[in-house]
Amino acid sequence: MDKLTSSFSWKRKRSKKQLSTQRLSDQLLRAFFHYTTDAISFSDMDNTLILINQAFEHNYGWTMDELKETPYCFIPKDLKVEAHQLFDAVRTMGVQITNFETVRQRKDGSMMDVNLTIVPIFDEHGTIIGSACTARDISDRKKVEEALKQSETKYRLLIDHTQDIITIFNPAMERIYISPSVEQHLGYSHMEFQSSSRLLLVHPDDMPLMRACHQQIMATKQQVQFEVRSLSRDGSPIVFDTRGFPILDDQGQVENIMFVSRNVTERKYSEAALLRSEEKNRIILEHTDDFIMITDKQGEILYLSPSHERVLGRRKLMSQVTLERVHPDDRDLFIKHFNQLIHYQKAGTYEFRYQCENGKWIVLESKGVPIMTKENECDGFILVSRDITERRNNEELLRKAEKLSVIGELAAGIAHEIRNPLTSLKGFIQLLYPTLQDNKLYADIMLSELERINLIVSELLILSKPQNLQIKPISLVVLMQNLLALLASEANLKNIRFQTSFGKCPPIAGEENQLKQVFINIIKNSIEAIASQGQGEIRISTRLLPNRHVLVRLADNGCGVPEELLSKLGEPFFTTKEKGTGLGLMISNKIIKDHNGTFQITSKKNQGTVVKITLPIVDDDIGSS
């Protein structure tokens, strides 16, 4: 029992469709065992673990080889007696234990709350040959329950679990005894099922089967086993696995018949789910966003989940694994891992870029698992892929945030170093000011320029820490007109025209110096982009939006930015200019976000660039934010 085996028996002659259906069913059963998040383990009658699934190793941290050296190291010392009692009850008495909550220990020493289901394993003769245990991690749920109800007992005793119903009939098929456990299963009290009661234990539709088994025992004096339904007090059917035993008198005649009934309703649901796995598991496969592919060992595709068409947009079904949609830079890695899967027949996970039908590239995380036969031969492969593009994008954002943090620290240091000499220069000029009456104009210019440098240094601090903005009403049209007058001489020298269209624009809420910095940065970028082509124009317009925002649109017909580089604009130190630092757009974007506005850039190579900025208009309460 060193591998997961199929519940189906193979015959020599089967149709191709039957073989394909059978193979898919076996593969889905194995996939259920290997990919369930519940830890599943099998042990023999000597309480020795003989098989665990991947979730077991993942949840507890121990591998099968480690468990062989230190068996049941995942059971805390103070719970080993409890565990032995549970498994002994299953193996010796055939008790089925369900929803038993206890604690298990991970390899790193941490504890994990689990919900156990332990059932006996029978051979073809009905003899118990071991036990199967399914452990579900309920740590999160237990934390919530612990917070809501601190006094609730954490562990349950064996007496809280299933007990068989025992009934005895006489040869006339009159019930003469029923065990008290009937109340646990059907909701009726023991007294309600006394022999004088007319309550039926067996479902009316199953009474013919019950009579036939009764007659068979009377005739053959042999044990019989069958499944029968009963109706609970609320009218729901309960399925029992029932064994009938003849009770013989001294002359060897049947004196009474004893039926031992075990509630197998939950097991029947599980069996039905497994036996009808081709239908029910297909429903799961058809609605999952994971991409599931099953191939034979030659790479011929036997099954593709519908998510390939729904998510990837692939309308044409493939018959063979191909590299058609794999990114050229990732094809060697794809081939390498696929070859390793074929030759070494070991599960492996790898990432590669894949192109959807609409041309969009996504990042897939794929895990390939070999499908092994009973003879331990590879019969094919299951490949489960998941779209992790969003995860990778989030990781990239984290890296950018870390880079921005470093830039902020650097900017704070630079600003500090510049301000020290500025303070001395400004102080000495102010000290000498009364003696510079003949050159007062030059002194005023020097003081003004020093103040301008000090303001620029203050703007550097935007990168290092959040700033308290002095928000006040600003006339956006006046601000833009002053800026254009300031930049007009530079634009004229480079044969660039300004085209303006200022619509009705109420005052906006903002910090004037910071907004000037944003628009100067954008307009100077446009001037430089146009200058490389000789001449052109920059169009600036404003428009009031319905959401109490003003849209400022700045468009040029300069050299533009290639589409593949557009997404990188605003990243620290990324620039398309020879002497640029890549910080201008990053700072501008941050300033607009601090003003509760939006910043958007669209561009095409050799066709120009459009920048759209929205800013909120003045509210009733304007102050520092």
Side-chain angles (χ1 to χ4, degrees):
M1 196 170 177
D2 57 348
K3 56 184 178 294
L4 183 64
T5 58
S6 170
S7 60
F8 298 97
S9 59
W10 290 88
K11 296 182 178 180
R12 289 182 176 273
K13 294 183 179 181
R14 294 198 177 193
S15 67
K16 185 175 181 181
K17 181 178 180 180
Q18 288 175 325
L19 288 174
S20 176
T21 301
Q22 185 66 59
R23 181 181 299 168
L24 179 58
S25 298
D26 288 349
Q27 293 163 355
L28 292 175
L29 287 174
R30 293 189 183 96
F32 173 80
F33 174 78
H34 286 297
Y35 294 109
T36 180
T37 56
D38 295 339
I40 302 176
S41 61
F42 296 92
S43 57
D44 59 17
M45 295 299 289
D46 295 328
N47 202 23
T48 301
L49 283 175
I50 57 177
L51 181 63
I52 61 175
N53 67 347
Q54 295 176 3
F56 190 101
E57 295 185 2
H58 179 267
N59 290 350
Y60 294 143
W62 277 285
T63 64
M64 189 62 187
D65 292 337
E66 292 172 328
L67 292 173
K68 289 180 180 178
E69 296 179 4
T70 55
Y72 295 95
C73 50
F74 55 92
I75 300 177
K77 292 182 180 180
D78 57 335
L79 297 179
K80 289 189 181 294
V81 174
E82 173 194 87
H84 283 301
Q85 290 175 347
L86 293 175
F87 282 92
D88 287 345
V90 173
R91 285 190 290 268
T92 59
M93 295 183 289
V95 173
Q96 296 185 18
I97 297 175
T98 58
N99 297 326
F100 187 85
E101 296 183 1
T102 185
V103 177
R104 290 293 179 259
Q105 182 174 343
R106 299 185 180 93
K107 186 176 181 179
D108 60 7
S110 60
M111 297 298 176
M112 176 174 64
D113 293 298
V114 295
N115 182 298
L116 299 182
T117 297
I118 311 174
V119 297
I121 302 174
F122 299 90
D123 62 9
E124 63 272 14
H125 306 296
T127 303
I128 298 177
I129 60 174
S131 62
C133 177
T134 301
R136 175 165 294 177
D137 184 359
I138 59 170
S139 301
D140 293 339
R141 195 196 78 194
K142 291 297 292 183
K143 289 178 183 178
V144 176
E145 292 177 353
E146 192 68 22
L148 295 175
K149 194 175 182 181
Q150 293 289 337
S151 62
E152 182 176 354
T153 303
K154 193 174 184 181
Y155 304 105
R156 303 291 183 184
L157 299 177
L158 269 172
I159 58 175
D160 292 335
H161 298 279
T162 304
Q163 297 180 8
D164 295 342
I165 298 178
I166 299 176
T167 53
I168 299 178
F169 290 82
N170 62 19
M173 208 176 173
E174 295 174 343
R175 188 173 63 244
I176 60 178
Y177 173 80
I178 188 168
S179 62
S181 56
V182 68
E183 183 174 357
Q184 178 181 352
H185 297 284
L186 301 182
Y188 294 101
S189 67
H190 176 247
M191 298 301 296
E192 289 179 282
F193 266 111
Q194 292 300 322
S195 57
S196 59
S197 171
R198 303 304 300 171
L199 280 174
L200 290 177
L201 178 64
V202 179
H203 193 287
D205 294 343
D206 292 346
M207 281 302 297
L209 174 62
M210 184 71 175
R211 293 191 185 97
C213 292
H214 183 276
Q215 294 173 2
Q216 181 179 347
I217 295 174
M218 293 293 297
T220 63
K221 302 177 184 179
Q222 299 293 322
Q223 169 186 333
V224 298
Q225 183 174 357
F226 57 98
E227 289 183 358
V228 68
R229 293 171 296 170
S230 295
L231 288 175
S232 63
R233 181 181 286 275
D234 62 8
S236 60
I238 307 296
V239 182
F240 289 95
D241 181 15
T242 302
R243 297 188 182 191
F245 303 89
I247 302 176
L248 305 180
D249 58 17
D250 295 339
Q251 288 73 38
Q253 300 300 315
V254 179
E255 183 178 26
N256 290 306
I257 300 176
M258 181 176 67
F259 293 97
V260 180
S261 301
R262 175 167 297 172
N263 190 338
V264 295
T265 305
E266 293 295 332
R267 192 192 78 190
K268 292 301 293 182
Y269 287 148
S270 298
E271 288 178 354
L274 292 175
L275 293 175
R276 296 192 296 269
S277 60
E278 181 180 0
E279 174 186 352
K280 293 191 174 181
N281 284 316
R282 192 178 297 276
I283 294 176
I284 298 174
L285 296 176
E286 287 176 353
H287 292 85
T288 182
D289 285 338
D290 288 348
F291 315 116
I292 301 175
M293 177 189 298
I294 300 175
T295 73
D296 61 17
K297 56 186 177 182
Q298 283 79 34
E300 294 288 338
I301 296 177
L302 303 177
Y303 175 80
L304 276 178
S305 61
S307 55
H308 284 80
E309 178 179 348
R310 186 174 64 252
V311 180
L312 301 180
R314 195 175 189 92
R315 298 179 180 86
K316 181 180 178 182
L317 294 179
M318 300 183 296
S319 60
Q320 182 82 25
V321 178
T322 67
L323 302 175
E324 177 186 356
R325 294 283 179 178
V326 179
H327 195 282
D329 295 344
D330 296 340
R331 289 176 182 175
D332 290 341
L333 179 65
F334 186 91
I335 295 172
K336 175 183 175 182
H337 283 278
F338 203 81
N339 287 336
Q340 288 179 346
L341 184 63
I342 294 174
H343 295 303
Y344 299 106
Q345 299 174 3
K346 291 184 179 180
T349 303
Y350 57 98
E351 297 178 9
F352 61 93
R353 286 164 290 179
Y354 189 90
Q355 188 177 32
C356 300
E357 197 74 18
N358 60 5
K360 177 184 177 183
W361 288 98
I362 63 175
V363 181
L364 294 182
E365 181 183 66
S366 183
K367 183 169 187 177
V369 180
I371 303 169
M372 308 304 291
T373 64
K374 293 181 180 180
E375 292 75 23
N376 201 29
E377 295 179 354
C378 181
D379 192 39
F381 305 96
I382 296 178
L383 288 91
V384 181
S385 303
R386 176 169 295 178
D387 184 359
I388 61 169
T389 307
E390 185 176 352
R391 187 206 307 173
R392 289 290 171 264
N393 290 339
N394 290 336
E395 292 174 354
E396 182 65 23
L397 289 175
L398 288 176
R399 285 193 291 270
K400 290 180 181 179
E402 181 65 23
K403 188 184 295 184
L404 186 60
S405 175
V406 174
I407 294 172
E409 294 177 5
L410 181 62
I414 294 173
H416 178 72
E417 293 299 325
I418 294 177
R419 270 183 167 173
N420 286 336
L422 278 181
T423 303
S424 300
L425 290 173
K426 185 176 181 181
F428 284 123
I429 292 176
Q430 290 175 337
L431 182 64
L432 297 173
Y433 190 80
T435 65
L436 300 175
Q437 295 300 322
D438 296 336
N439 298 299
K440 185 177 179 181
L441 176 62
Y442 302 119
D444 290 338
I445 293 174
M446 292 174 67
L447 287 173
S448 175
E449 291 303 313
L450 286 174
E451 189 63 34
R452 175 63 180 167
I453 294 174
N454 188 55
L455 180 61
I456 293 173
V457 170
S458 299
E459 298 301 322
L460 270 178
L461 294 175
I462 294 175
L463 291 172
S464 62
K465 61 181 181 179
Q467 301 293 309
N468 290 325
L469 303 181
Q470 297 299 320
I471 302 297
K472 62 181 181 179
I474 299 173
S475 173
L476 184 59
V477 174
V478 173
L479 185 146
M480 295 301 299
Q481 288 173 341
N482 291 337
L483 289 179
L484 294 179
L486 179 65
L487 298 171
S489 58
E490 182 178 356
N492 291 334
L493 288 174
K494 297 181 180 179
N495 199 19
I496 298 173
R497 301 186 309 277
F498 291 137
Q499 296 290 339
T500 60
S501 175
F502 298 135
K504 182 180 180 182
C505 182
I508 62 170
E511 208 284 328
E512 184 173 1
N513 286 327
Q514 289 196 359
L515 292 178
K516 284 181 179 179
Q517 179 181 349
V518 172
F519 292 119
I520 288 175
N521 184 33
I522 295 172
I523 295 173
K524 284 183 70 66
N525 284 346
S526 295
I527 291 174
E528 293 177 7
I530 296 174
S532 63
Q533 294 186 332
Q535 63 179 1
E537 66 177 12
I538 300 174
R539 299 178 297 280
I540 302 102
S541 62
T542 61
R543 179 165 58 90
L544 181 62
L545 300 177
N547 60 351
R548 296 183 59 80
H549 278 63
V550 172
L551 171 66
V552 183
R553 185 177 184 274
L554 301 100
D556 65 65
N557 58 354
C559 60
V561 178
E563 293 185 11
E564 62 270 17
L565 300 180
L566 196 58
S567 60
K568 295 185 177 182
L569 292 181
E571 292 185 7
F573 304 120
F574 175 81
T575 179
T576 58
K577 297 183 291 185
E578 292 183 3
K579 298 182 180 181
T581 63
L583 298 178
L585 286 179
M586 183 191 69
I587 295 176
S588 298
N589 191 21
K590 186 176 188 306
I591 291 174
I592 296 302
K593 286 184 178 179
D594 289 342
H595 281 74
N596 297 321
T598 62
F599 191 94
Q600 180 185 3
I601 300 176
T602 58
S603 182
K604 289 187 178 180
K605 189 173 180 61
N606 299 323
Q607 295 185 26
T609 302
V610 177
V611 179
K612 294 181 179 179
I613 296 175
T614 65
L615 293 167
I617 64 175
V618 173
D619 289 329
D620 294 335
D621 50 345
I622 298 297
S624 62
S625 63

